[in-house]
Amino acid sequence: SAGPAKPPSAALAGGAGGDAARAGFSAEALPEWARAAAQLVVLPFAVVFVGFYFAVSFLAVDVTFCAVAAAMKLAGKGAERTLHEMQAMVFRVWISPAACYLETFGGLRMELTGERLNGEESVVCMANHRQFADSFICAAMARQVSRHGDIKCIVKRSLLFLPVFGLGAYLSNACVFIKRSNPASSSRLLHQTFSALLHDHSPSTPHPRPFWLLIFPEGTRLTPSKLAASREFSLATKASAHPPVPLLSHLLVPRYKGVSKAIAELRPTLSAVYDLTLAYADHGNPADPRPRFLDLVFRCALGVPRVVRVHQRRIPIAEVPGGGAASETKEGEALRDWVYEQFAEKDRLLEEVEREGRFPGEELEFRRVALGYAACGFR
């Protein structure tokens, strides 16, 4: 029989402390009043930066680019590729200062393990989902191979209404906003997106740009209550489902249809599937993964890295079921089973992180955003 679910924790907090010790400084050694005073001093700088960044984002992305995009669309289909290249450049320029800010002021650090990724590949990238910062972390992984301007994320439609970021992500073609309560509409929108990617990467297209299609198959952020409901669903369907829905301790049961549809339709252009497993340090409250996005934005790290561990797996598309002469139904079933298998493996990896304090495998170098690069965003 299945035991009770463990809290959705991840890596032990010791990793972040070790990094701080190696840096030769730890804000934890400061008295509480000194830390509070330091935060009070730096908070106005954070507010000024965020306000300025929002203003620049609105002017540079949400207004100027809206006019440019409208003009390019009026120019006809021949201008579509130029428009997409401009969108990639705009998104790269737009996101670089934010990434630099989160890594410098917020102290965000990634500990990478696993396989090296290739910036010349078009891929579907799937990751587990804990909080809003996950998208920035996945974008940081894309930046390691210079693909952060070519990332496209499938997200819920409500994020479209986030001030500045929602409209900016829409105009820069960085997000596909789907309405989960309307499956027919979502399916049409995904098909249009995949068709556009296939068109941009057809054999007749010279020098196509590789892309990352980012999907969070869980469909929502992990919380203790959602984890309990997910496990109840797995147990309830154990006798009837074939194969059984996986019983996971650190992840929600994945909604496999989105990632399966993406792989099935984009297979001719894909080189691999990248599987990213994110592990946040456990600060004693499993409902509150750290570092929280608002902490990264408004609370200076004071020299103490806020660590997120990321394990990278590259799965060649030839090893992903489907394709060939298989029927659509058979391919869908094979991809469903494959997605379940990948999440069972991710759950095992998170179990090892909780036990050992790190992911298995080779430790990879993480390249932070240079201040000069953040100022212009070009590469």
Side-chain angles (χ1 to χ4, degrees):
S1 60
K6 296 181 181 180
S9 59
L12 303 176
D19 283 349
R22 286 193 294 272
F25 171 77
S26 175
E28 300 300 326
L30 296 175
E32 185 66 31
W33 66 266
R35 290 202 300 272
Q39 295 290 356
L40 190 62
V41 169
V42 299
L43 181 59
F45 295 96
V47 173
V48 168
F49 174 84
V50 171
F52 179 76
Y53 181 68
F54 267 58
V56 170
S57 294
F58 182 78
L59 292 173
V61 179
D62 296 354
V63 175
T64 306
F65 194 73
C66 185
V68 172
M72 296 293 288
K73 285 187 178 295
L74 289 174
K77 289 188 176 181
E80 285 185 358
R81 187 181 178 197
T82 302
L83 173 61
H84 293 166
E85 291 177 350
M86 289 181 61
Q87 287 172 323
M89 181 191 71
V90 167
F91 187 68
R92 188 165 61 245
V93 172
W94 184 43
I95 201 172
S96 295
C100 183
Y101 175 83
L102 294 177
E103 293 173 10
T104 304
F105 179 88
L108 183 63
R109 295 289 185 278
M110 262 67 82
E111 291 184 355
L112 304 186
T113 54
E115 301 175 67
R116 299 182 186 277
L117 307 182
N118 184 346
E120 300 305 314
E121 296 181 324
S122 291
V123 301
V124 167
C125 178
M126 60 181 186
N128 55 310
H129 196 15
R130 290 302 307 272
Q131 59 161 320
F132 185 70
D134 294 345
S135 298
F136 284 87
I137 291 166
C138 292
M141 300 303 103
R143 195 188 70 246
Q144 302 303 300
V145 290
S146 302
R147 288 272 73 89
H148 51 303
D150 303 290
I151 195 167
K152 187 183 293 292
C153 186
I154 298 176
V155 298
K156 58 186 179 182
R157 183 173 174 81
S158 59
L159 295 179
L160 175 61
F161 304 103
L162 282 176
V164 178
F165 285 100
L167 186 57
Y170 174 78
L171 292 174
S172 60
N173 202 31
C175 289
V176 181
F177 299 92
I178 62 172
K179 194 172 184 179
R180 289 182 298 195
S181 60
N182 190 339
S185 174
S186 298
S187 181
R188 285 195 302 271
L189 183 57
L190 289 176
H191 180 70
Q192 291 172 4
T193 301
F194 301 154
S195 296
L197 289 172
L198 287 170
H199 178 268
D200 288 347
H201 293 77
S202 65
S204 60
T205 303
H207 310 297
R209 294 184 65 89
F211 65 84
W212 279 36
L213 182 68
L214 174 61
I215 303 177
F216 297 103
E218 292 166 290
T220 186
R221 289 168 291 180
L222 178 69
T223 65
S225 60
K226 291 175 183 176
L227 178 61
S230 177
R231 288 175 61 85
E232 287 179 9
F233 172 76
S234 297
L235 292 171
T237 58
K238 184 176 182 180
S240 58
H242 180 75
V245 176
L247 182 64
L248 306 173
S249 297
H250 304 275
L251 301 165
L252 304 180
V253 172
R255 303 180 184 188
Y256 59 87
K257 290 185 178 180
V259 66
S260 298
K261 183 178 180 66
I263 293 172
E265 293 200 25
L266 293 174
R267 184 181 290 271
T269 69
L270 298 178
S271 300
V273 174
Y274 290 171
D275 179 28
L276 304 182
T277 303
L278 315 182
Y280 289 84
D282 182 4
H283 288 251
N285 184 359
D288 179 21
R290 299 295 181 91
R292 293 180 300 176
F293 182 69
L294 290 180
D295 285 340
L296 293 169
V297 172
F298 292 111
R299 295 186 63 191
C300 181
L302 298 176
V304 179
R306 290 163 170 160
V307 175
V308 179
R309 296 174 174 89
V310 183
H311 187 74
Q312 303 177 157
R313 289 197 301 148
R314 180 190 180 276
I315 306 167
I317 195 63
E319 297 179 8
V320 180
S327 67
E328 185 174 339
T329 301
K330 290 290 186 182
E331 182 177 22
E333 292 175 351
L335 285 171
R336 174 201 62 193
D337 300 347
W338 180 82
V339 171
Y340 283 166
E341 290 173 4
Q342 304 316 306
F343 266 71
E345 174 63 15
K346 290 167 80 71
D347 201 60
R348 186 195 67 77
L349 287 169
L350 289 169
E351 183 72 29
E352 183 165 346
V353 173
E354 185 172 333
R355 184 176 62 252
E356 304 293 338
R358 69 181 303 274
F359 279 117
E362 176 188 0
E363 186 170 346
L364 308 175
E365 178 188 7
F366 175 74
R367 294 183 293 111
R368 297 175 56 194
V369 180
L371 290 174
Y373 176 67
C376 62
F378 292 97
R379 174 173 295 181

